Amino acid sequence: MKYRLFKAATILVMAIQSQGIAQNPIAPAGGYIADPSAHVWKDGKLYVYGSLDESTDYYCSWRHHVMSTTDMMHWEITENVFASKGENDQVPYNDALLFAPDVMYRDGTYYMYYCQPDKDAEGVATSKSPLGPFVDGKKMHVAGVEEIDPCVFMDDDGQAYYIWGQFKAKIARLKPNMTEIDTTTIIDDLVTEKEHFFHEGGYMVKRNGIYYFIYAHSGRANMPTSIGYAMSSSPMGPFTYGGVIVDNDHCDPGNWNNHGSIVEFKGQWYVFYHRATHNSNMMRKACVEPIYFNTDGTINEVEMTTQGAAGPLNPYDKLDAERACLLHGNVRVEAFSKNEEQLTGIENGDKAAYKFIAFDGKNSTFTARVKSGKNGGVINVHIDQPWGKRLGTLTIPPASGSGEWQEISCPIESAEGKQTLWLMFFGKGDAMFDVDWVKFE
């Protein structure tokens, strides 16, 4: 870990930076950053601001972290850039939880817009650095229409817009000071649940003269699992429904919502979103996928992958099991130490998918690091579809004692080209085994 000192006014803040890797999730094992709002600032780096989950009992926490990258392959996390209680507490008027934030830059200052749904709703803090610390939190004055999930859009002419709300997105012009709303400009129904499947989590961006409103989309499975979008020729609307960009359904058996953003970085556009873990609505992790536009400005839907911003993965590299992009059944991602996660809760018939693996046509060996339970079981290794070509079967014997981590291997048939890897789990009872990582050798 690296340590960086920041000094602002009379406070001293220590920000801890830790390294992540390219594959999804971009948040490292043990780190749960949700609601990713992505921005590219004047220094050319990409920054992701989001909520910090820390419990399966409640959403978010009292702190915000920032993720940043220069190449989409290597990520740094700067911790505790803003807090509502404890170290670096910058909200003097309450100790409420902090939900999804956003940040905007103007004239040498970065403005963090935060929300506290338990009380006082929206607020704003400032910093001279995109990594904070953000200080002097103050209430935003939005009398009568206080809700959640603020975002700010800056148009080409320098006019800033404040967007927030749940079920109906609200928008208003920000005054030049960036801390007050021009209440005479409020539009109460920029997009709605009825017409656009809007649930919450707005974000706005402009591309080729088209304004895109990005949001948590509730039109599938009766849950807001998708990132949807709408299009307009004006930031104040009206907006025409566009569709779904990515859907995180089946990222976790207890998943509920999604929240994200889109951004262009070094000539490529990306969608940022999150996935839940721990068989819960919470403990969410930021992820990213490349996206592509059609000539009419519409966006093609993309699927969740393990590779994320990288290309197909090398089968001979260790693949952490928690990087599964699809989970079916009772299996879930769960931490088993501070910085380690596993697939656990595995029951007969469960399955996990990894997209995509670049196989080279050679026969090899499949190895998994597993912790067996009293029943043990088997992992059938398939490609393409859950019941596609079976490459081999790994047998995991029942634990002889308390159960320790062990590496077990089996021969595997060859596969070639870009493939989805499916792990199919079979056995008896609910004490089969846990999986830490897999690889081909």
Side-chain angles (χ1 to χ4, degrees):
M1 288 188 176
K2 303 176 185 177
Y3 295 88
R4 178 179 294 176
L5 295 178
F6 295 97
K7 191 171 184 179
T10 59
I11 64 169
L12 186 67
V13 180
M14 178 172 285
I16 305 172
Q17 296 186 320
S18 59
Q19 298 294 327
I21 61 175
Q23 292 91 349
N24 280 328
I26 58 174
Y32 303 94
I33 296 176
D35 308 321
S37 179
H39 295 275
V40 179
W41 300 130
K42 295 178 68 175
D43 61 3
K45 295 176 67 175
L46 188 151
Y47 296 83
V48 174
Y49 303 90
S51 307
L52 177 67
D53 281 350
E54 61 182 14
S55 173
T56 57
D57 295 326
Y58 52 87
Y59 282 110
C60 306
S61 68
W62 292 265
R63 298 174 293 154
H64 285 323
H65 294 352
V66 181
M67 301 187 71
S68 59
T69 183
T70 59
D71 58 8
M72 298 295 289
M73 299 295 107
H74 304 88
W75 290 88
E76 291 183 334
I77 298 178
T78 305
E79 297 190 349
N80 200 28
V81 302
F82 181 72
S84 59
K85 75 173 184 178
E87 184 180 359
N88 196 27
D89 182 355
Q90 293 296 316
V91 183
Y93 51 90
N94 69 44
D95 290 330
L97 287 164
L98 293 168
F99 275 28
D102 195 19
V103 170
M104 185 50 64
Y105 172 82
R106 181 169 217 153
D107 297 334
T109 299
Y110 295 87
Y111 296 84
M112 173 173 278
Y113 300 89
Y114 58 92
C115 68
Q116 299 175 287
D118 292 337
K119 58 194 307 183
D120 298 309
E122 292 87 11
V124 59
T126 59
S127 175
K128 293 300 181 181
S129 165
L131 294 175
F134 292 88
V135 299
D136 300 328
K138 297 179 176 65
K139 297 180 185 179
M140 293 283 290
H141 299 291
V142 198
V145 285
E146 294 181 336
E147 286 187 4
I148 64 170
D149 293 353
C151 71
V152 172
F153 167 71
M154 182 81 74
D155 209 345
D156 299 334
D157 61 3
Q159 176 62 59
Y161 297 84
Y162 188 80
I163 306 163
W164 73 109
Q166 192 174 41
F167 309 118
K168 291 196 303 180
K170 301 163 179 59
I171 188 170
R173 288 184 175 88
L174 273 172
K175 295 181 180 180
N177 63 16
M178 298 292 285
T179 63
E180 293 180 276
I181 290 170
D182 181 350
T183 56
T184 66
T185 67
I186 292 175
I187 294 176
D188 190 54
D189 55 355
L190 185 70
V191 299
T192 66
E193 184 176 44
K194 181 178 180 181
E195 295 184 21
H196 307 87
F197 304 106
F198 173 75
H199 181 71
E200 62 190 16
Y203 177 94
M204 189 176 287
V205 68
K206 186 179 183 180
R207 175 186 180 271
N208 293 347
I210 298 174
Y211 297 86
Y212 291 85
F213 188 62
I214 312 301
Y215 53 91
H217 176 293
S218 60
R220 295 182 178 176
N222 294 315
M223 298 188 297
T225 58
S226 301
I227 299 297
Y229 73 100
M231 305 162 65
S232 177
S233 59
S234 166
M236 304 289 275
F239 276 85
T240 301
Y241 174 70
V244 168
I245 303 174
V246 68
D247 186 350
N248 74 11
D249 193 23
H250 281 296
C251 67
D252 179 86
N255 182 53
W256 163 248
N257 74 358
N258 209 338
H259 184 145
S261 55
I262 66 171
V263 71
E264 184 181 22
F265 185 58
K266 297 187 176 180
Q268 173 65 56
W269 281 84
Y270 298 92
V271 59
F272 287 81
Y273 64 103
H274 67 227
R275 303 176 189 166
T277 64
H278 288 69
N279 191 25
S280 73
N281 294 177
M282 299 81 170
M283 305 302 280
R284 300 158 298 173
K285 300 177 75 73
C287 298
V288 63
E289 311 290 351
I291 61 171
Y292 302 92
F293 293 80
N294 299 308
T295 56
D296 63 356
T298 56
I299 304 172
N300 295 317
E301 183 175 351
V302 296
E303 58 184 334
M304 290 191 294
T305 71
T306 304
Q307 69 186 46
L313 306 178
N314 185 339
Y316 303 117
D317 290 340
K318 184 175 71 174
L319 176 60
D320 291 327
E322 70 269 13
R323 296 192 179 276
C325 56
L326 291 173
L327 298 174
H328 291 261
N330 192 64
V331 59
R332 79 291 304 267
V333 173
E334 195 168 290
F336 67 93
S337 72
K338 182 179 180 180
N339 297 310
E340 294 179 296
E341 296 168 342
Q342 64 185 343
L343 288 184
T344 190
I346 297 171
E347 296 182 354
N348 182 56
D350 289 357
K351 47 187 176 285
Y354 302 84
K355 299 182 178 184
F356 293 93
I357 311 296
F359 290 99
D360 60 7
K362 298 178 181 179
N363 292 334
S364 60
T365 298
F366 175 78
T367 300
R369 186 174 189 254
V370 298
K371 179 186 287 187
S372 186
K374 66 180 180 180
N375 295 321
V378 300
I379 302 175
N380 285 345
V381 182
H382 294 255
I383 57 170
D384 187 27
Q385 299 294 328
W387 296 103
K389 178 182 178 182
R390 185 193 297 185
L391 303 184
T393 296
L394 181 72
T395 299
I396 302 167
S400 57
S402 59
E404 301 294 334
W405 288 107
Q406 58 183 321
E407 297 177 22
I408 303 177
S409 301
C410 70
I412 210 87
E413 291 187 27
S414 64
E416 190 168 8
K418 176 183 170 182
Q419 302 284 354
T420 301
L421 172 66
W422 283 92
L423 304 183
M424 308 282 286
F425 306 116
F426 297 98
K428 295 181 180 179
D430 59 359
M432 292 169 52
F433 51 85
D434 301 327
V435 184
D436 184 13
W437 52 256
V438 302
K439 67 177 178 179
F440 296 84
E441 300 178 286

